[in-house]
Amino acid sequence: PSSELERRVADLFTWHHGLLDQGYAYRYYAEPPPTPVVLAALHRADGSPDVEIRIPERAVPGPPMRRQRQLALANALFASERARAGHRHEGEEEGEGSAGESWLARSYASHLCRTHPGTSGLTLYLQQHLIPDPRQVLEKTRATGLRFDLFDESLLTTPRWIGDFPCDGL
């Protein structure tokens, strides 16, 4: 969504977007939002340790579009869960009531069960990867002389439970 003022100003620069082939998919963030991350703990039927899955992966093999698609999946589940939480009745706990679990979370779980044979069930979580404050990056870099670790645990929120899903019931 954009305001009438934003559209009028943007129209003045249409030639620039065409010249650089930026198209409609580019939006310039004044302050980018945190990146949603989907975490899944796959419980193994043979009792071996859980397999941890992260979407988006930190290093996505293949073309860059794969990472973009994983980001879109994580954003979709985050938006779905936020909308579902907004529709919860007062006093109702997460995962309870008429809203139940989201169809999108069940779909993720079903896919992970199918693509990881030997999985008896899984638990889904959501967390956010926060954008570091530029001053924080500069201070830490100057203090240590090392590169700033963008995957430092301090930039990740506490994982929020979405649900437990048995593979045989999906």
Side-chain angles (χ1 to χ4, degrees), residues 41-107:
L42 283 73
H43 314 301
R44 308 302 293 165
D46 62 7
S48 59
D50 289 352
V51 173
E52 301 290 326
I53 302 283
R54 182 184 196 276
I55 302 170
E57 297 174 60
R58 287 195 174 131
V60 180
M65 184 55 81
R66 270 190 90 194
R67 178 161 179 78
Q68 197 63 32
R69 287 181 177 159
Q70 286 190 2
L71 284 167
L73 288 169
N75 275 305
L77 185 58
F78 181 79
S80 167
E81 288 299 312
R82 187 165 50 180
R84 199 168 63 83
H87 288 102
R88 223 176 265 126
H89 298 292
E90 191 174 321
E92 199 173 56
E93 295 291 324
E94 278 187 54
E96 280 186 10
S98 59
E101 62 196 23
S102 80
W103 67 269
L104 194 52
R106 278 195 317 276
S107 177

Side-chain angles (χ1 to χ4, degrees), residues 5-57:
L5 175 62
E6 181 183 355
R7 286 190 302 272
R8 284 184 183 176
V9 171
D11 287 345
L12 297 174
F13 296 94
T14 302
W15 65 272
H16 176 264
H17 289 279
L19 178 67
L20 297 178
D21 192 29
Q22 290 183 310
Y24 64 91
Y26 287 84
R27 295 293 295 234
Y28 301 100
Y29 299 108
E31 191 172 313
T35 302
V37 177
V38 178
L39 302 172
L42 283 73
H43 314 301
R44 308 302 293 165
D46 62 7
S48 59
D50 289 352
V51 173
E52 301 290 326
I53 302 283
R54 182 184 196 276
I55 302 170
E57 297 174 60

Side-chain angles (χ1 to χ4, degrees), residues 111-156:
H111 173 75
L112 290 170
C113 286
R114 281 194 316 274
T115 57
H116 293 83
T119 300
S120 61
L122 60 98
T123 303
L124 284 178
Y125 302 91
L126 273 173
Q127 72 179 162
Q128 291 187 301
H129 187 169
L130 305 172
I131 305 296
D133 183 287
R135 290 177 299 233
Q136 176 190 9
V137 174
L138 185 60
E139 288 170 10
K140 191 156 190 172
T141 303
R142 284 181 176 162
T144 64
L146 303 172
R147 292 180 68 182
F148 186 81
D149 181 9
L150 289 173
F151 295 104
D152 186 82
E153 291 296 317
S154 68
L155 296 175
L156 297 169

